[in-house]
Amino acid sequence: MSDRDLQTEQFEQHRAHLRAVAYRMLGSLSEADDAVQEAWLRLNRSGDGVENLGGWLTTVVARVSLDMLRTRRARREEYVGTWLPEPLVAADSGGDPANEAELADSVGLALLVVLETLTPAERLAFVLHDMFGLAFEEIAPIVDRSEAATRQLASRARRRVRGASPTPDADLDRQREVVDAFLAASRAGDFEALLRVLDPDVVMRVDALGRVREPVQGAADVARGILTRGAQFAPFARPAIVNGAAGAVVASRGKTISVVGFTVVDGRIVEIDVVARPEKLRGVVVAD
């Protein structure tokens, strides 16, 4: 095996980890893949002097993601409507083992929404330390801070995340029961049945082209919105795993209309995230 082939093989062994780091940093699959590709290009330019390849690649992906976050943050005011991340989706009945492993290790849409409220440096410190176990001494040079200041970044981020991100029920089967009940009530136009599965303070966010939709809060308002604007789509909803949780894909004639993520806590839906921007649905394959 040539040195080039060996380097390629070693890189591929780290690809899934690098993509996971970048996705948590960016909330975008396409941007995550761009960050991983940039790491590969830099590895090719580095020669054979990399000793700890995994650590080196993680640092490169983190730096690239940090730069992308800063650039995106500067232009975020141009984004029209509510921002939601690109979803990770798989059929509920199973599929590609590698994709299923990625989904099992993924983070929910609700958490990614909270991460988006952090500063780029806070997000990087939290993701690398709290999600991937990197030491603060390794993270500090990436954010150009002292080790103590980097600890403070992660601590601030942790408080924000704990205060704003609900902890979903761990039982996927129980989540599916609740989501199935929601879908059945939506199809039947049953307002009272919807109220029974929605938390009183449920929040629904929609990321779509066209008219700007502000987040809707409260079970009654969310239920009314589902029955007025969403009723036409309810018959086309199919069960799916969305970012590791029970969700749905709305599709018609082989075209994906939206992906819906649910956060279920104590047997009720506390958050509904509807991703309907075409550019965020390119990776969603709909089975006939």
Side-chain angles (χ1 to χ4, degrees):
M1 180 181 292
S2 67
D3 290 344
R4 171 78 176 193
D5 290 339
L6 178 60
Q7 181 173 270
T8 300
E9 181 179 308
Q10 291 174 335
F11 179 84
E12 290 302 324
Q13 292 173 357
H14 294 284
R15 180 183 290 276
H17 167 76
L18 299 174
R19 193 171 191 248
V21 171
Y23 179 64
R24 284 159 176 76
M25 281 291 297
L26 299 164
S28 166
L29 293 169
S30 55
E31 290 181 351
D33 287 337
D34 288 344
V36 173
Q37 180 64 19
E38 178 62 25
W40 167 245
L41 294 174
R42 294 189 187 187
L43 178 62
N44 281 335
R45 294 195 295 265
S46 70
D48 301 321
V50 178
E51 294 183 6
N52 178 7
L53 182 61
W56 187 89
L57 287 170
T58 298
T59 297
V60 170
V61 165
R63 289 185 185 278
V64 172
S65 298
L66 185 62
D67 289 342
M68 293 172 74
L69 267 185
R70 286 168 172 164
T71 300
R72 191 172 71 187
R73 193 178 182 88
R75 67 172 189 265
R76 177 51 58 84
E77 61 186 33
E78 300 172 8
Y79 196 91
V80 178
T82 300
W83 180 91
L84 290 175
E86 288 182 45
L88 282 169
V89 182
D92 227 355
S93 57
D96 178 57
N99 191 35
E100 289 180 352
E102 183 178 52
L103 281 162
D105 191 41
S106 65
V107 295
L109 294 181
L111 177 55
L112 289 169
V113 169
V114 176
L115 293 181
E116 192 69 12
T117 68
L118 305 177
T119 67
E122 287 172 343
R123 185 167 183 168
L124 185 141
F126 177 81
V127 167
L128 292 187
H129 181 266
D130 286 46
M131 293 184 171
F132 293 98
L134 267 69
F136 287 117
E137 64 181 1
E138 299 176 82
I139 302 171
I142 303 175
V143 292
D144 196 23
R145 304 280 211 290
S146 67
E147 186 175 337
T150 305
R151 286 180 181 275
Q152 291 178 344
L153 286 174
S155 179
R156 285 200 302 269
R158 197 176 301 120
R159 288 195 297 271
R160 295 270 294 280
V161 169
R162 287 175 178 172
S165 179
T167 302
D169 293 348
D171 188 335
L172 187 58
D173 290 336
R174 178 55 183 148
Q175 289 181 31
R176 172 52 58 200
E177 290 177 7
V178 175
V179 171
D180 283 350
F182 170 89
L183 294 175
S186 300
R187 294 183 185 113
D190 192 332
F191 182 79
E192 294 301 325
L194 278 174
L195 292 184
R196 286 194 290 272
V197 296
L198 296 175
D199 184 87
D201 297 318
V202 62
V203 175
M204 183 171 69
R205 295 178 286 255
V206 179
D207 186 353
L209 295 175
R211 184 170 61 86
V212 176
R213 296 183 178 93
E214 294 298 326
V216 179
Q217 184 165 12
D221 287 342
V222 169
R224 278 192 287 268
I226 292 294
L227 295 183
T228 54
R229 293 191 295 272
Q232 59 182 317
F233 300 114
F236 303 106
R238 309 177 185 184
I241 304 297
V242 178
N243 284 65
V249 172
V250 179
S252 177
R253 297 179 180 178
K255 180 182 179 181
T256 302
I257 299 169
S258 66
V259 169
V260 188
F262 297 87
T263 304
V264 178
V265 177
D266 295 331
R268 286 193 169 185
I269 297 169
V270 300
E271 296 193 10
I272 303 172
D273 293 306
V274 182
V275 183
R277 286 184 181 258
E279 68 270 20
K280 294 185 178 182
L281 303 175
R282 291 171 185 158
V284 181
V285 178
V286 181
D288 294 328

